[in-house]
Amino acid sequence: MPNVNSAPPVPGLAAFNALGAEEAEAGLLACCACRAFAREVAALRPYPDLDRLAEAAEAAVRGLDWSGVREALAAHPRIGEPPRTTERPPAAEPSRGSGPVAGSGRPGHPESPESPEPPGHSAREAAWSRGEQAGVGTAGREVLDRLAEGNRAYERRFGHVYLICATGLSAEEMLARLTERLGNDEDAERDVVRAELAKITRLRLAKLLGAAS
């Protein structure tokens, strides 16, 4: 399996199309940390433009089974909490298992020594997460406390981290949407999670290819 933490930066679409399969998958794992997603999107190269790549990526996200979504969710920090990073030497590659990542899927959940390290915890993804959650940086203590409480309530209800495409949103907006989504049933919330994951993936693809600052 490709090691996303050792992946080189991808400067543009032409370079991405020309990468070897493992390198391309490693870059894609930075955008959506599910191995099935990365394999599918990498296999469909070459892409004529970023829009076609983004369409393929969205279709792949929406086509994931729930275990694949949970694998991707494991790479996302709680809203309002710092991202976790794990830098590993290239030799420490994950095993070829295709099932969901061990553990609860929540950031900070300890993995057993035998478990493969999940993708999506490099310094690059951590920097992206901080930028995406920039709206939390100006929030007051009360809002941050309510976000923390809301995160816990959400995880008790649905069993996974609260995911939202936070780019451009204030902490108050993220909190309001969290509160609203607590009223969803499980099927409705899974649809929302897939949609939010697709949005995040599209934005990160643009960053990966240098099409966004």
Side-chain angles (χ1 to χ4, degrees), residues 137-194:
T138 58
R141 185 72 261 163
E142 180 182 355
V143 172
L144 292 176
D145 288 345
R146 290 172 63 194
L147 269 173
E149 180 181 352
N151 282 328
R152 291 190 293 269
Y154 182 96
E155 291 176 16
R156 286 193 299 269
R157 176 158 174 71
F158 296 112
H160 56 79
V161 70
Y162 165 58
L163 184 75
I164 186 169
C165 183
T167 301
L169 298 180
S170 67
E172 290 80 4
E173 288 171 319
M174 295 179 223
L175 176 60
R177 296 189 189 186
L178 189 162
T179 302
E180 180 181 357
R181 285 167 57 180
L182 281 171
N184 287 342
D185 62 29
E186 186 173 10
D187 288 341
E189 183 56 21
R190 286 187 176 190
D191 287 342
V192 175
V193 169
R194 289 180 189 278

Side-chain angles (χ1 to χ4, degrees), residues 32-56:
C32 176
C34 171
R35 294 175 177 90
F37 161 85
R39 287 193 298 267
E40 178 177 340
V41 177
L44 293 173
R45 294 175 301 151
Y47 293 97
D49 52 50
L50 181 57
D51 285 343
R52 198 70 58 86
L53 171 58
E55 289 169 5

Side-chain angles (χ1 to χ4, degrees), residues 1-12:
M1 286 294 173
N3 179 5
V4 67
N5 294 325
S6 64
V10 181

Side-chain angles (χ1 to χ4, degrees), residues 33-109:
C34 171
R35 294 175 177 90
F37 161 85
R39 287 193 298 267
E40 178 177 340
V41 177
L44 293 173
R45 294 175 301 151
Y47 293 97
D49 52 50
L50 181 57
D51 285 343
R52 198 70 58 86
L53 171 58
E55 289 169 5
E58 180 166 355
V61 168
R62 292 184 180 275
L64 290 174
D65 61 26
W66 189 244
S67 66
V69 175
R70 287 292 295 264
E71 184 180 11
L73 289 175
H76 287 271
R78 290 186 181 101
I79 296 295
E81 292 188 4
R84 182 181 66 175
T85 62
T86 303
E87 296 293 350
R88 297 181 299 153
E93 295 190 358
S95 68
R96 292 183 178 274
S98 58
V101 173
S104 69
R106 299 172 191 169
H109 183 86

